[in-house]
Amino acid sequence: MPPTFSRGAGSAHGATKKQATQNMAVFIKDLAVDGLAVVSFVPATTSYHGEGRWAYVILTDDERRLEIQMPGDPLGEVRGGWTPIYVDGQPWYWDTALQKCSPRD
């Protein structure tokens, strides 16, 4: 069950798509460190989801398609747990979002 977000459930004013894309690049690098290669990532058909989040579709080397809604807040705030990342519609903080992208056994 997703956690209840008592802080940071929304985005601070000033979130940008450019920052969300930069955050995605770091998120993908972190996935690679965890052993999951992302073949591609592109903006989702409906890219802006409100509250400063932009959606991207990632395709993984194990042939999975995941939708990631990445906040456009500064990386330190997103990694620090101030704004959640949505993985296939469920909100998670950075480290847990990485785990949710991992291959299922």
Side-chain angles (χ1 to χ4, degrees):
M1 173 175 275
T4 302
F5 295 99
S6 60
R7 63 182 171 109
S11 176
H13 296 291
T16 66
K17 184 176 183 178
K18 179 180 178 180
Q19 184 63 55
T21 302
Q22 291 171 348
N23 293 347
M24 276 298 299
V26 175
F27 189 76
I28 288 168
K29 286 179 185 176
D30 284 0
L31 286 172
V33 168
D34 288 346
L36 180 66
V38 172
V39 175
S40 69
F41 84 95
V42 295
T45 304
T46 305
S47 159
Y48 185 67
H49 280 267
E51 294 185 345
R53 290 190 324 270
W54 283 264
Y56 300 86
V57 174
I58 63 172
L59 301 175
T60 64
D61 63 346
D62 61 355
E63 300 180 354
R64 288 181 299 125
R65 177 192 176 279
L66 302 166
E67 182 182 279
I68 309 296
Q69 293 177 25
M70 180 60 70
D73 296 313
L75 180 62
E77 291 178 15
V78 179
R79 278 186 128 171
W82 288 98
T83 54
I85 297 165
Y86 284 67
V87 177
D88 286 340
Q90 295 295 316
W92 307 100
Y93 292 127
W94 188 277
D95 289 338
T96 306
L98 290 169
Q99 292 171 5
K100 294 297 175 182
C101 292
S102 296
R104 293 174 178 85
D105 294 324

